[in-house]
Structure formats: structure tokens, C-alpha cells
Amino acid sequence: VARQAGPAIVAIQTELQESEEVESAKIRNLWSLFDRLRLGYASPLAFPEKAREEVRKDLERQLKELTGRRAGTGQGAGSGVVISSDGLIITNDHVVEGAREITVLLPDLQKYRATLLGSDPRGDLALLRISPRNPLPTVARGDSKRRRVGAGARARGNSFDLSRRDGEPTVTVGIVSALHRVASLDGGRRLYADAIQTDAAINPGNSGGGLFNLDGELIGINSAITSSTGSNAGVGFAIPVNQVKAALPSLKQGRAIAHGYWGVHLKSASGGRSGALVTGVSPGSPADKSGVKKGDLVISVENTTMAGYTDLVNFLSQWPVGMPFTLAGYRDGRSLTLVSQLEPRTEKHQDEESE
């Protein structure tokens, strides 16, 4: 796997645009890390006000370590995966967000200035282009639907920006720990839906690198971790390669990717029941317009069983905006059937989340 994938893993260095917009992004990312420490769903407002400044300083330090940014330099580091021999590279949006200059370092130490073709902040993907002198090695793209828990996995990337020295990407070894994970971070701005969980070490600088199966096929893009320290704790998440494949046509053309908004808060049913329990409905949202109410229990959508809230979030994350869907469930013990749809998501919308 290391020999097959290594030549197609690149290091990415960025010069950051130090502006009010980027400073706001840093603050959002700071609280995103706080969310991670609270399993991705705690509100910063719940933290005691008198301790917030101390927490901010500590988390800012951890954030800089996590993202690979060197304090005071306006620089960042991450990873990317070559997906076409003529110079297309997939990475995370958060690796290149706010960058005024992006440099790609190949394993043979060739450096190229990169152009950002398209990005998807919600899905945390970005597509870069370089103009190489010779055709580049690429990765074989697998089918993330064929993944299974316990299967071997290998993560490759620019850990701690070590590739800057010799071009060689780091490989870490693990398994697919779980499937269909959901993480809503950055105040709901980013959603990792149907994510692959792995214990292969994902360290600062690994974001945008590849997760591979034992056949050397790309099955995901390493994107996030859950940790109490800001470094690897054996719980990392990768965006499934099938989501990358679906996003590529829009990213290549620089088109915005339409993400859906339904307007509910969810948690998994308890007490031996299965399904997604609606704990809140945003007024005027598509869910509200279609008659969804707090307390409704959703057990299936389009004849697909919803075992818990993650199933429903994963389903809706892939459902086309504006296309009707039928949900079935219960309200006050009585059977319920409704037809609803998603609307285009904007920055003002609240995120569907667990409680």
C-alpha cells in the first residue's frame, strides 16, 4: 500500500490571507475544536464565562498544532491526493481556506504553485490544479460502499509537515473502526456525514491526505479527529471516496455544491425503540412546512429504515435538494406518513444535530 499510494500523496503549504474574514474563520475553528472536545455537539455558550478567555488561549495553542499553522507566520500545512496525471489534487477545504498562495510539494521535492479550482466548505473538500512538467502518479479510487468494519486501513499524509524536509509522506496503520459516523463541526458549518472512522493515526498536517484499503485503493480523505489533546487519540474520520467522486464535477467547474436544509434537531430513540426522534423544528423550515413536529419518531425514509439519528442525517446529506421524499413514523403512538423536501442550505440555517 505504501509503495502504491506514496507517489500520489503531496504536501500542501499555504500562505494565509490575514484579514478580518480569516480571523473570523480562526475563531470559528477555535470553537470547532472546543466542540470536538465535547464530542462535537456542545455549545460554547454552556461554558462558564469567567473561564472562557483561559480556555480560548489554551485551545488556540492546540488549534495551531492541529492545523499545522505556525504561530505568527500566517502559514499552514496539509496534505493532498493526486487524482489525475495532469495535475488535479483533492484536499480539504479547511487546508486551503483563506490562503492567498498555495504551494504543492511532490514526493520528489518538485514544487508547484497551485490554483484553487473549486471548494465545498460544507463538505470540507477542495480541488487544486498544478501544471506538472511530466505526468503524475495517481491513486486507484476504490468503492467506499464496499468498506467493512475491521478491515485494514492505511493513512498517508504530511504529518506535522515533515514532508517539507524530504517529500516523503508518512504512513500509519490501522483498521476501519466504524462506519456511518456523523460529526457536525465549526458551528454546523461543516458536516462530515457517513464518515469512515479509523484508528490509523491522523496527526496535524494529515488533513487532505488519503485513507487506503489493503489493495492500495483510495477509500477516503482524512479530515478530522476527536481528541482531548489536539493530537491523535485513535479516533479519526475520513470523507468516503464516493462522496469525493460525486463532488468532482462541480469542483472542476468551480460550481457551488448544493447542500440540503431540513430544519430539525434530532437524537436517537431510546427505551428499546429504533428511529430518529425529532427534538425540535425550526419555524418556517422545510420540515415545518411539511408538518413535522417535535416528538415525531421517524423510522423510515423512502422505505429505508432509520435505526437512529445518524441514519437520517446520513440519508438527508445525500438527498437532492428539491426532490420530495416520503417519511414514515409515529406521532403520539399513531402511524404517521409525510412528504417533505430539502431546501438549499445557507449560512443562516441551524444544523441538524444530536442532543
Side-chain angles (χ1 to χ4, degrees), residues 273 277-278 281 287-288 290-299 327-338:
R273 300 179 300 171
L277 183 65
V278 178
V281 181
D288 183 37
S290 60
V292 178
K293 297 185 181 300
K294 180 179 179 180
D296 287 350
L297 179 65
V298 180
I299 61 170
L327 63 88
Y330 295 95
R331 177 182 295 165
D332 299 326
R334 298 182 179 180
S335 296
L336 174 70
T337 301
L338 294 172

Side-chain angles (χ1 to χ4, degrees), residues 41 182 184 191 262-270 275-282 287 292-299 301 306 308-317 325 327 342 345 350-355:
Y41 296 110
V182 173
S184 176
L191 178 70
W262 201 37
V264 297
H265 289 252
L266 302 165
K267 69 177 182 180
S268 294
S270 58
L277 183 65
V278 178
T279 60
V281 181
S282 298
V292 178
K293 297 185 181 300
K294 180 179 179 180
D296 287 350
L297 179 65
V298 180
I299 61 170
V301 181
M306 302 290 118
Y309 91 92
T310 57
D311 287 346
L312 182 52
V313 173
N314 286 332
F315 183 94
L316 294 177
S317 72
F325 58 85
L327 63 88
L342 305 178
R345 176 176 291 275
Q350 296 294 318
D351 187 54
E352 290 86 33
E353 59 181 15
S354 70
E355 294 187 341

Side-chain angles (χ1 to χ4, degrees), residues 17-30:
Q17 184 80 34
E18 296 297 338
S19 65
E20 290 185 6
E21 180 180 352
V22 173
E23 287 302 316
S24 295
K26 287 181 179 178
I27 292 172
R28 289 198 304 270
N29 288 338
L30 177 60

Side-chain angles (χ1 to χ4, degrees), residues 43-346:
S43 168
L45 299 178
F47 205 83
E49 182 67 30
K50 63 181 180 180
R52 290 185 71 173
E53 186 59 31
E54 181 180 346
V55 171
R56 276 182 182 274
K57 290 179 181 178
D58 184 51
L59 289 183
E60 188 166 23
R61 175 186 58 78
Q62 295 184 50
L63 174 64
K64 287 171 182 173
E65 294 175 358
L66 179 63
T67 59
R69 296 181 182 179
R70 288 170 289 284
T73 66
Q75 295 180 325
S79 307
V81 181
V82 179
I83 58 171
S84 73
S85 61
D86 62 350
L88 290 181
I89 297 166
I90 195 76
T91 185
N92 287 132
D93 175 74
H94 77 259
V95 170
V96 297
E97 182 182 41
R100 60 181 177 84
E101 184 177 303
I102 304 169
T103 301
V104 169
L105 177 68
L106 303 183
D108 63 5
L109 294 180
Q110 290 187 71
K111 282 188 177 183
Y112 292 94
R113 184 73 58 85
T115 300
L116 178 63
L117 293 184
S119 64
D120 176 23
R122 175 73 171 168
D124 200 16
L125 290 172
L127 185 65
L128 308 179
R129 177 179 286 284
I130 62 173
S131 299
R133 289 182 283 274
N134 299 299
L136 300 178
T138 62
V139 295
R141 291 178 236 171
D143 181 357
S144 47
K145 288 184 178 179
R146 298 175 57 190
R147 60 206 166 157
R148 60 180 179 83
V149 174
R154 305 291 184 265
R156 298 225 61 170
N158 179 24
S159 296
F160 294 102
D161 200 19
L162 293 175
S163 299
R164 171 187 289 269
R165 303 173 185 176
D166 58 13
E168 181 67 22
T170 297
V171 59
T172 55
V173 178
I175 63 170
V176 174
S177 305
L179 298 171
H180 314 301
R181 292 302 198 200
V182 173
S184 176
L185 301 175
D186 202 355
R189 183 166 172 262
R190 302 193 194 278
L191 178 70
Y192 302 102
D194 205 28
I196 303 169
Q197 181 182 327
T198 182
D199 66 348
I202 298 175
N203 288 301
N206 269 105
S207 290
L211 185 69
F212 297 87
N213 61 23
L214 296 188
D215 294 323
E217 296 174 327
L218 181 70
I219 59 172
I221 298 297
N222 300 320
S223 303
I225 63 171
T226 291
S227 170
S228 60
T229 65
S231 291
N232 173 61
V235 183
F237 303 101
I239 299 168
V241 70
N242 288 11
Q243 289 185 26
V244 177
K245 293 176 184 177
L248 277 177
S250 294
L251 293 176
K252 287 178 181 178
Q253 297 183 26
R255 297 198 314 262
I257 295 176
H259 291 279
Y261 167 69
W262 201 37
V264 297
H265 289 252
L266 302 165
K267 69 177 182 180
S268 294
S270 58
R273 300 179 300 171
S274 61
L277 183 65
V278 178
T279 60
V281 181
S282 298
S285 66
D288 183 37
K289 293 173 186 176
S290 60
V292 178
K293 297 185 181 300
K294 180 179 179 180
D296 287 350
L297 179 65
V298 180
I299 61 170
S300 71
V301 181
E302 288 295 302
N303 296 315
T304 300
T305 300
M306 302 290 118
Y309 91 92
T310 57
D311 287 346
L312 182 52
V313 173
N314 286 332
F315 183 94
L316 294 177
S317 72
Q318 303 299 313
W319 192 258
V321 172
M323 180 180 291
F325 58 85
T326 302
L327 63 88
Y330 295 95
R331 177 182 295 165
D332 299 326
R334 298 182 179 180
S335 296
L336 174 70
T337 301
L338 294 172
V339 177
S340 191
Q341 64 180 26
L342 305 178
E343 293 179 358
R345 176 176 291 275
T346 66

